[in-house]
Amino acid sequence: MPLSFLNRLQHVQLPVRVANPEEIRHVSVLLATGLIEAEITTLKPTSPYVCSRMATVIRITEDGRSEIAKMGNVPAPVKTFMQFSRGLRLM
């Protein structure tokens, strides 16, 4: 659900890269509704098993922060991520 993904985003250091297709759909919905700023890019596939799209979430907008506040105290999910050399992380 996009709002639970938005809640997860508030607990990670931004910018963050997202490669999971379901999470990219969440990013797309949140971007379209103005709750986040993000870039969705299409990659050249290097093999049949590589994800062809990636999203970079840049920040949560004021509208996004207001929506998080409306949700109340939702416990933070425990999630690991990988860190890249330029400071971007993969959720």
Side-chain angles (χ1 to χ4, degrees):
M1 172 166 237
L3 290 179
S4 62
F5 184 75
L6 178 64
N7 187 51
R8 269 184 49 209
L9 286 174
Q10 76 171 337
H11 298 288
V12 297
Q13 185 178 356
L14 299 176
V16 66
R17 285 192 177 168
V18 179
N20 179 301
E22 182 179 342
E23 291 178 341
I24 291 174
R25 282 189 294 275
H26 295 325
V27 169
S28 177
V29 170
L30 294 170
L31 178 63
T33 56
L35 300 180
I36 63 170
E37 286 184 11
E39 296 174 355
I40 300 174
T41 58
T42 303
L43 307 172
K44 273 190 171 177
T46 55
S47 75
Y49 303 106
V50 174
C51 184
S52 62
R53 292 178 69 196
M54 183 171 287
T56 303
V57 179
I58 299 166
R59 74 177 191 95
I60 300 173
T61 64
E62 291 302 317
D63 289 341
R65 298 217 179 269
S66 296
E67 198 62 40
I68 291 169
K70 289 179 193 174
M71 288 190 290
N73 290 337
V74 179
V78 176
K79 188 75 173 178
T80 60
F81 56 86
M82 297 170 53
Q83 187 162 357
F84 293 99
S85 61
R86 293 187 180 174
L88 296 172
R89 284 154 300 285
L90 180 65
M91 288 180 65

